[in-house]
Amino acid sequence: MKKGLKSGACSLTTPGNLVESNPNSNSNNGASAKEKDVISSSGELENVQLKPSRDASRKKLCGYLNKLGIKGPIKTWKSRWFFYDENKCNLLYYRTAQDINPLGSIDLSSASFDCKVENGEGVFEIRTPSRVFTLKAISNQAMMYWLQQLQMRRWEFCNAQSRFPVGSSQLVSEPLAGRTSGVDNEDFLPLVKTPTEAVGLKAASLPAPQTSTALQNISLKHPWTEIQNTVHNICGSKQLWGNNGNVFTFSEFQEHPENPDEEQEAQVEAGCAVKGGTLQDGRMDSRLNWVRKARWMNSGFPGLPEELSRERNPMDKVSVLQQQILTLTEEVKSQKELVKLLHKALEAAQQEKRVSSMYLTAAEDKDRLELVRHKVRQIADLSSRLEALEQEKKELEQILTLRDSHIQELKEHVQLLMEKNHAKQEVIMALTEQMAREQSDPLQEASTITVETLYKQQEEIEHLKDDIEAYKTQNQFLNSEIHQVTRLWTNVAENEKALLMKCACLQAQNCQMESKYLTVLRKLQEAVPGLPSSHAELVRNLIQEALQWDVKEKAEEGFNLNPVSEYDEYGFMTVPEYEVEDWKLLAKIQALEIKSNNLRSQEVVEKPLRDRWNSIVELSPSAELKSLIRSGIPVEHRQRVWRWIVSRHCGHQPDHYQRLLQQSKSTEHPACRQIELDLPRTLTNNKHFSSPTSQLIPKLRRVLLAFSWHNPAIGYCQGLNRLAAIALLVLEDEESAFWCLVHIVENLMPADYYSDTLITSQVDQRVFRDFLSEKLPRMMAHFEHYRIDVSLITFNWFLVVFVDSLVSDILLRVWDAFLYEGTKVIFRYALAIFKYNEEEILRIHDSVEIYQYLRFFTRMILDGRKLMNIAFNDLNPFPMKLLKNRRLMHREELEAELCELEQIKAAYVKERAEQGPQNLKEAVSEEEEEI
């Protein structure tokens, strides 16, 4: 009995009511699905109109398909009624079209489709993230129709889900404009004509595909659903047959519609709404019986007058009746098998119930004890029987194994005999053909062979043409599937990109708001002495809370409003720990501003640069690479580029580093003590060096000791520990860090830069003062007016390449360009730092305040991109030839001054040596006079 198709939204429309049904609500009673009062109390039955809730032109996607069972005990094809739910993009499947509860569903929103010629005719696959469903249609045309319709419905559902709701941010909605307007016009596969005999509502009235056995089509994984559907069908049949004793006479259906096909489709969909509803008063009235009669009339039974009236030929009527009889016979067989199973389960339950009743009705404890003992004896007997059966099973398995092996041997022997026989037959055939050829006419023989060969070739050509057509169809569908999945993936990627951009903007705004909040607190902190005590205490509490506001606490709450982490990618503290609260506030404000700038430039600047770096496969010196390195190397590429730069200038000697380590272990270097003193003072704001037990401390020790033995002329100089520490953080491998240190000291820096006299370092300070006078004359005049010696600040910049002076993000960009171009980068960035803060410095008119500002002003640089533009664009031209000439000139001047100082020192020592004996005699004579 047909109960209607399962739809995402079916409705019964009356003049005053519109009720929608839920297809997923399963009934727990045996009568039917829960129903609502779908007909208005004031309306008449004759005025009821059955309509589909969706557009009438939109055909429902439903029909019978064979589904391959892969998990159950019976792995075979099972006939299932499939129906597409448009609301959830699910493909529901039932045992028959008359069932009320689905056996399962397939989520198509994230599924892909595939068809392979080698699988057979009509076989295709639906691949979901959790499972692969193998289905089979009655023909290739039906298969292509299903695949094409499923593709179209998946596209429509995904486009509808991907759109943002009204009121979304313009930043998100703009990239999505025009992308979800409709389905792509590119047609890889032409529209397939609807196979009405296998797909659609009319297919529900046709008999279900036959199976070899009655139980083969029953779902053993869903017994409860099978029982519900069976009971519902039986109860519905009894109600209809029991009404006036005649199923064919309904007074309500005397008037027939003009278009019976459309009326049938509307009534079938209306049955979905009745099936999905619930009774409000818990009882069934006559109007719901009317709806069930309507569904009965459309269910395709042979006794229906409308069905028989359409058949003009009596033979057609007989064939329809025979088909219905076969369908009902198979249904009765399957129901009988199911009833047998239920009877067996019922007998076991009744037997258990009788034993339990005897135990409960026993008058005395002795009787109960006897019953328990009887049960124990039965259990022991069953256990012994089970053991015996298991032993017998093992013996039978052994016998079966022996028989299988014997059968296998016999098969092999038979196969050998068959091969011998086949060989003999081939020899006989060959001899027979040879004899026939000798006896027959040579021309007739050639003609016969030619005709046979031609016939075989034509057959092979026809088969190949069929295969080619099948592969063309498969290729067209797969191209369509790849194209559609790619577009869906592109849409999702663009949505994700838009959301990430919006998130970055919101995080940047949050950083700015928090920075402004901390700035206000700092201003209030300066005004604390003039505030009342209660207000001053409140300001101090707010400052304390702001300084203790940690990211980890917000992450535990699941909603992070502060995107500033405690450490960056290389372990540097983003907010250094200062003892003065004012400096702490400034450090946190600076960290927030830097994070805000990075977030804002991430999509506009950083992402294009990262894409350019990703496109570089092999590194080679070029103007483009130089420009990219100046812009900063991304974290994921920095280690590779640094290794390439070092390897270009330092030929790695095999085992050289290991020999140096062995030498440092066997012999103590004079600089070993100084190295141990400097290790705890290396990068104290980095978590990898802040503790004596950090993992990088032993590596740094070995690198410095190896370098002291590698370059005895320098040995060790204070500052080398910081250079080696930065190399270790980026390169991670201590041998690579050692060669990086060698490259800096011996290739990039001039000679004697780290010698005992530091003569070249002093020369660079004089050269820098010349450049400062030329590039920034106002600032140099300001320094000379207040007698500021800039070398007191900049000497350490040049010695350790800005380590512990700039924030880590800007510092590593400086190192990127420094390793590739050399010491000229240090001059560029040193001048850029003063240019960046020129206006602030010119506003200070006190020498002490200027020195205090110059001690920390490098930490106040927030925009690394702006500093880079100043260094490499605003300060041009900056020729290397000019730098070399200035170094040579100032080195000659400095050497002359040092030589003059040496002469003065030698004259002074000589004079003291000559005056020494006379002073001694005078001192003795004075003592004698005292005596």
Side-chain angles (χ1 to χ4, degrees), residues 859-873:
R859 289 280 176 178
M860 304 305 295
I861 297 175
L862 307 177
D863 193 348
R865 293 290 168 192
K866 179 181 176 182
L867 185 67
M868 182 199 68
N869 289 329
I870 295 174
F872 293 107
N873 295 326

Side-chain angles (χ1 to χ4, degrees), residues 85 142 212 231 235 505 627 755:
D85 183 359
S212 59
V231 173
C235 293
C505 291
S627 175
S755 62

Side-chain angles (χ1 to χ4, degrees), residues 651-667 702 705-707 709-710 734-735 738-739:
H652 289 202
Q653 304 175 17
D655 300 331
H656 178 66
Y657 179 72
Q658 299 298 331
R659 288 196 299 268
L660 294 175
L661 291 182
Q662 293 295 333
Q663 186 176 359
S664 63
K665 290 180 181 178
S666 60
T667 307
R702 291 192 291 269
L705 287 174
F707 181 81
W709 286 107
H710 171 78
E734 57 182 274
E735 184 173 0
F738 164 77
W739 288 110

Side-chain angles (χ1 to χ4, degrees), residues 27 37 80 213 413 430 438 459 487 497 538 547 591 596 681 685 715 747 756 764 774-775 778 813 880 895:
S27 173
D37 189 4
R80 294 289 181 260
T213 60
H413 184 64
E438 291 176 355
E459 285 187 348
R487 290 196 60 198
K497 178 182 177 181
L538 177 61
L547 293 176
S596 176
R681 297 180 290 198
N685 63 337
N747 297 331
D756 295 338
D764 276 358
E774 296 174 4
K775 303 292 184 181
R778 293 171 56 210
R813 292 183 184 180
M880 188 65 185
E895 288 178 350

